[in-house]
Amino acid sequence: MRIGASPLAFPAMAVEPYQLLPALSAEDFAALKADVAARGVLVAVEVDEAGAILDGHHRVRAWSELRAEGHRLPAYPRVVRRLSSEADKVAHVLALNLSRRHLDRAARTELVGRLRAEGWSIRRIAASTGLARSTVAEDVASVRDRTDEPAKVLGLDGRARPARRAAVAPAIHVGSDRDERRARAALAALGEEAPARLLDLRRAENRARLAHLERLRAAPGERPLAGPSYELRCSAMHLAGVADASLDAIVCDPPYGEAFLEVWSDLGAFAARTLRPGRLLVAYSGHRYLPEALARLSGHLHYVWSGATFQPGRHATIRAERIWTRHRPWLVFSAGPYRPRGFLDYTLHSEGRGERGPADHPWRQTTGPFRRLVAMVTEPGEVVCDPCCGSGTTGVAALAEGRAFLGIDVDPGAIALASAALAEAAAESA
């Protein structure tokens, strides 16, 4: 019988699908609970991509009971692990528990036999569980007549090829319910593209976004590029066919970093040509190359002001200079001499914590500050352009404020994201 084909035959099994070993005795559970009360949960609980507990049922039970009794305990650490099949999940759980639990011989032999049926070599079982190879060999021999012995197995020396190779599973270590949900979503979005190792949550989420963007680039499909009050163009900004002096404002979030400095020169030239006289360009900027961004825009436009959007939550740490960032700067320039039409508020506050889902653009910003920027620099019915539109945040803000929108991006994956976001925003506005 293959692991996962039918329930394991322990008589006192709990209802959780992966609590495969007999429950702890009352005395052992009481000792565990006392330890959790004193020190918290020290060994991470493992859950699968659907949130089912693979390992740590007793730790979670002790933690939950203590919280219900009024103990103030921190959230328990956890690892979100994606395994390719139910069989691999069961084998993983067995290996973890067999290395920790002191089982009687019958229970131990049953578990060793099931690992063997999954294609594990004797040496591999011994190395994974801490049992002596001779003990594993005896257990395998004792169950050989009632288990499916694989034709080939993988040994630690690499000489044999397995009938079914058990790969290292992708996993993400997290410490809260919120981060567990994020980890599960990231692993689900990555699918088979998840690297087989322990991942950092933020890097896993960004990898998921990049993978989603790459899939959109490969198969953009048929998506609407225009609506009642918006239009999208997949092009470099200087090739997008925008008429001279036709835009009322440009509000954008260009890419940051040394590799993208030339974009700021292109943006300045584009704004100088396409903005109506005296109208404004507002552009988010990174911190490190802010002087370069100012210099490149100043070669084409008139400097007006600078502002900041303050962002709650975790932000980048510039370790070389020992700086914590807490805001995103933005620059205001005009095409020709500035013609004020209203007051500009140069301090804005972002809503939420800047959360991005695994299907979002890697650089997506929150919408609230962009709505405020659009409202400050334009009047209802005027045309707002974002020549680096990404997933369409500026466009969503423009439609929400009753403005028309033109979005331009050279990346077809970004245009696909923006198309979906603007179609939804246009439907809500209607």
Side-chain angles (χ1 to χ4, degrees):
M1 181 185 72
R2 290 292 181 192
I3 295 177
S6 63
L8 295 180
F10 284 116
M13 191 194 313
V15 295
E16 290 88 349
Y18 301 111
Q19 189 172 349
L20 305 179
L21 299 186
L24 289 177
S25 67
E27 181 181 354
D28 288 341
F29 180 75
L32 171 65
K33 187 173 177 179
D35 186 70
V36 171
R39 301 191 296 166
V41 176
L42 300 180
V43 178
V45 174
E46 294 205 12
V47 300
D48 68 8
E49 67 279 9
I53 297 176
L54 296 173
D55 180 62
H57 296 85
H58 292 100
R59 277 165 271 157
V60 172
R61 176 188 160 197
W63 181 88
S64 300
E65 289 184 3
L66 288 165
R67 288 286 291 261
E69 294 166 5
H71 290 259
R72 299 184 65 181
L73 296 173
Y76 53 83
R78 64 207 83 186
V79 171
V80 181
R81 190 178 299 277
R82 183 175 63 78
L83 295 130
S84 58
S85 66
E86 287 298 307
D88 288 342
K89 290 181 183 180
V90 174
H92 177 69
V93 171
L94 294 179
L96 284 176
N97 285 276
L98 189 58
S99 64
R100 290 198 299 262
R101 297 280 291 276
H102 298 288
L103 304 176
D104 59 40
R105 180 171 181 176
R108 185 201 69 213
T109 300
E110 180 72 7
L111 294 181
V112 169
R114 293 180 186 278
L115 291 175
R116 181 65 170 181
E118 284 301 309
W120 291 41
S121 70
I122 290 174
R123 182 179 295 182
R124 183 181 171 206
I125 295 172
S128 299
T129 62
L131 295 171
R133 289 175 59 186
S134 58
T135 301
V136 174
E138 291 176 3
D139 291 340
V140 167
S142 67
V143 299
R144 187 166 290 150
D145 60 340
R146 51 191 176 90
T147 62
D148 297 327
E149 180 72 3
K152 294 182 180 180
V153 295
L154 176 65
L156 291 179
D157 57 6
R159 294 180 181 177
R161 295 187 177 276
R164 179 164 55 203
R165 188 183 302 271
V168 177
I172 303 173
H173 195 289
V174 296
S176 69
D177 293 340
R178 173 179 172 270
D179 286 351
E180 180 187 328
R181 290 191 293 270
R182 291 171 57 192
R184 289 161 56 188
L187 287 176
L190 282 169
E192 295 302 317
E193 298 178 50
R197 63 175 186 269
L198 187 65
L199 305 171
D200 172 77
L201 176 58
R202 298 183 74 185
R203 288 194 177 98
E205 288 181 318
N206 200 52
R207 183 186 286 266
R209 296 181 196 111
L210 293 172
H212 180 65
L213 200 58
E214 193 59 41
R215 288 191 288 268
L216 291 175
R217 291 170 185 150
E222 294 295 329
R223 296 180 175 86
L225 298 181
S229 55
Y230 71 88
E231 182 182 349
L232 295 170
R233 300 179 187 178
C234 187
S235 168
M237 65 181 79
H238 65 283
L239 300 175
V242 181
D244 294 354
S246 61
L247 302 177
D248 296 293
I250 295 174
V251 180
C252 60
D253 180 26
Y256 314 146
E258 186 175 13
F260 300 104
L261 288 177
E262 194 59 35
V263 173
W264 291 86
S265 297
D266 295 341
L267 178 61
F270 176 81
R273 182 181 66 81
T274 59
L275 282 172
R276 302 183 194 279
R279 300 299 172 86
L280 296 178
L281 159 74
V282 182
Y284 270 39
S285 170
H287 292 273
R288 186 175 294 279
Y289 295 100
L290 183 59
E292 187 70 25
L294 283 163
R296 289 175 180 257
L297 292 180
S298 296
H300 304 275
L301 302 166
H302 288 235
Y303 173 76
V304 176
W305 210 255
S306 62
T309 296
F310 292 91
Q311 301 166 306
R314 180 182 177 186
H315 300 293
T317 301
I318 314 302
R319 297 193 178 278
E321 290 82 7
R322 297 190 177 184
I323 296 172
W324 288 325
T325 63
R326 290 291 186 272
H327 76 281
R328 184 79 65 198
W330 41 269
L331 309 175
V332 185
F333 281 79
S334 65
Y338 176 42
R339 302 175 183 177
R341 297 194 295 166
F343 281 92
L344 300 179
D345 183 355
Y346 67 93
T347 55
L348 304 179
H349 293 269
S350 178
E351 76 276 16
R353 299 168 60 88
E355 295 91 345
R356 292 191 292 268
D360 288 325
H361 195 284
W363 302 336
R364 185 183 70 81
Q365 301 285 357
T366 53
T367 307
F370 280 82
R371 289 191 61 171
R372 181 69 177 134
L373 290 172
V374 166
M376 285 194 298
V377 301
T378 60
E379 299 292 337
E382 292 186 341
V383 179
V384 178
C385 177
D386 185 346
C388 312
C389 73
S391 57
T393 300
T394 301
V396 172
L399 297 187
E401 294 297 325
R403 277 66 167 170
F405 176 70
L406 171 61
I408 303 167
D409 203 292
V410 72
D411 183 357
I415 290 294
L417 289 172
S419 173
L422 289 172
E424 181 178 349
E428 291 179 359
S429 298

